[in-house]
Amino acid sequence: MRPGRSLPTLLASVALAGSALGSILVDPTLRRDAGQTIERETGYQTIRIVEGVEDGPAPPEAPLYVYNARVSVPVRYFRFDEDATSYQSVVVLKDERARLTLGRYYDHLALGAWFAGMPWTRAAGDPRVLLVGYCGGTLHRVLGHVTPAGRPGPDVLGVELDPAVVSLAEERLAPLPGRLDLRTGEDGRAVVETLADDDRFDLVYLDAYARTQYVPFQVSTVEFFAGCVRHLSPTGAIGINVNASSGLSGRLLRHLASTLAEALGPEGSVWLAPNRLYGGSATIWGVRSRVAPRLGPEVPEALSVPAY
């Protein structure tokens, strides 16, 4: 010990140095991605808003749009946990009504509102939609952007397990659309099981993921899909967003498709639709018919790329 310094003084100095070092080295933030504006811990996960710029398809009026004309646009992402590339909701910050989500799966799912027999194709009101995995409302906004002129837009029952997700989305992502009955803090399967017997939907969407990449088991069973089918209108469709890194031969995609087919029974059918712009994405469509869904002729121009 150096002369003139007592043991208590020395210990206090060491403690102070350790505290300072801890404040430098210990960072509770899970990630600090470029463009990250906020991160929060919830009872279920870590959620983050990140902004960036990316190349996407040019708007429909641009020359050679279908032939991959590109343009850089600002985008805001809603990301979960440690993931640095994927997202559960996204907002294109420039010309969103024309660009929608640059051909992502939300645009592909929105095509279901234009299947022959849907309300908008028959000028018979607006579709009723059940969306399990609402997150920040991206799919709902896309449906609103492609609503025919003079219509109020889809009537949506949204289910989101984590209330903090919706809170952060309203605060930092984008305003939530109207005509929304939002059930937070509830599991999608529990909501479906408590629907009134005569409650019917033109579109039932499943976009629920846990820990960024995993489909929760309780919303991937025959029983859950059978409940969805019971509440599907005669001309309705069930659409499931699937991470399909192995393409249409992936095991997850095939297992979910076969499970939905079992729930639909012999009078229904299931169809797989790859996304040509985002190769790791595919949509499973289930209908109460043996005939593949057909798009009506009134598909909006904003959906021309996913419809191509």
Side-chain angles (χ1 to χ4, degrees), residues 64-281:
L64 302 179
Y65 180 42
V66 171
Y67 296 97
N68 293 326
R70 312 295 287 181
V71 65
S72 293
V73 293
V75 180
R76 185 175 295 149
Y77 310 92
F78 198 127
R79 289 181 174 157
F80 285 65
D81 297 324
E82 71 279 7
D83 195 78
T85 56
S86 68
Y87 38 82
Q88 299 294 340
S89 281
V90 63
V91 177
V92 172
L93 299 176
K94 182 178 180 182
D95 300 328
E96 183 188 19
R97 185 170 293 277
R99 292 191 169 105
L100 303 180
T101 67
L102 304 174
R104 289 175 167 90
Y105 73 85
Y106 314 94
D107 301 353
H108 279 246
L109 288 170
L111 284 173
W114 296 96
F115 288 163
M118 289 292 183
W120 285 340
T121 68
R122 295 182 288 113
D126 295 288
R128 183 130 194 270
V129 178
L130 170 61
L131 176 49
V132 177
Y134 189 85
C135 194
T138 298
L139 178 54
H140 189 176
R141 280 196 305 277
V142 170
L143 288 168
H145 290 326
V146 299
T147 297
R151 301 277 186 184
D155 179 9
V156 176
L157 171 57
V159 185
E160 177 53 53
L161 180 63
D162 190 347
V165 166
V166 176
S167 177
L168 184 61
E170 289 186 289
E171 178 185 336
R172 294 293 187 95
L173 187 72
L176 297 183
R179 301 199 75 191
L180 170 63
D181 176 9
L182 185 56
R183 308 271 287 270
T184 62
E186 297 184 60
D187 179 78
R189 179 162 175 170
V191 170
V192 169
E193 290 177 347
T194 57
L195 291 171
D197 290 343
D198 60 350
D199 214 351
R200 295 288 181 271
F201 297 89
D202 299 294
L203 290 163
V204 175
Y205 290 124
L206 177 60
D207 189 20
Y209 280 83
R211 313 306 296 181
T212 300
Q213 303 180 52
Y214 306 103
V215 179
F217 74 91
Q218 71 272 19
V219 293
S220 58
T221 65
V222 173
E223 292 79 8
F224 171 72
F225 288 136
C228 293
V229 172
R230 283 195 298 273
H231 295 284
L232 193 64
S233 68
T235 60
I238 297 174
I240 307 172
N241 164 50
V242 183
N243 288 330
S245 57
S246 301
L248 298 187
S249 62
R251 292 177 63 188
L252 174 62
L253 187 72
R254 292 288 174 173
H255 282 303
L256 284 173
S258 63
T259 304
L260 178 58
E262 183 175 347
L264 283 163
E267 300 303 315
S269 57
V270 171
W271 307 87
L272 306 181
N275 186 330
R276 71 182 187 90
L277 292 180
Y278 294 85
S281 170

Side-chain angles (χ1 to χ4, degrees), residues 275-290:
N275 186 330
R276 71 182 187 90
L277 292 180
Y278 294 85
S281 170
T283 299
I284 300 173
W285 287 110
V287 294
R288 306 179 83 167
S289 167
R290 299 302 299 172

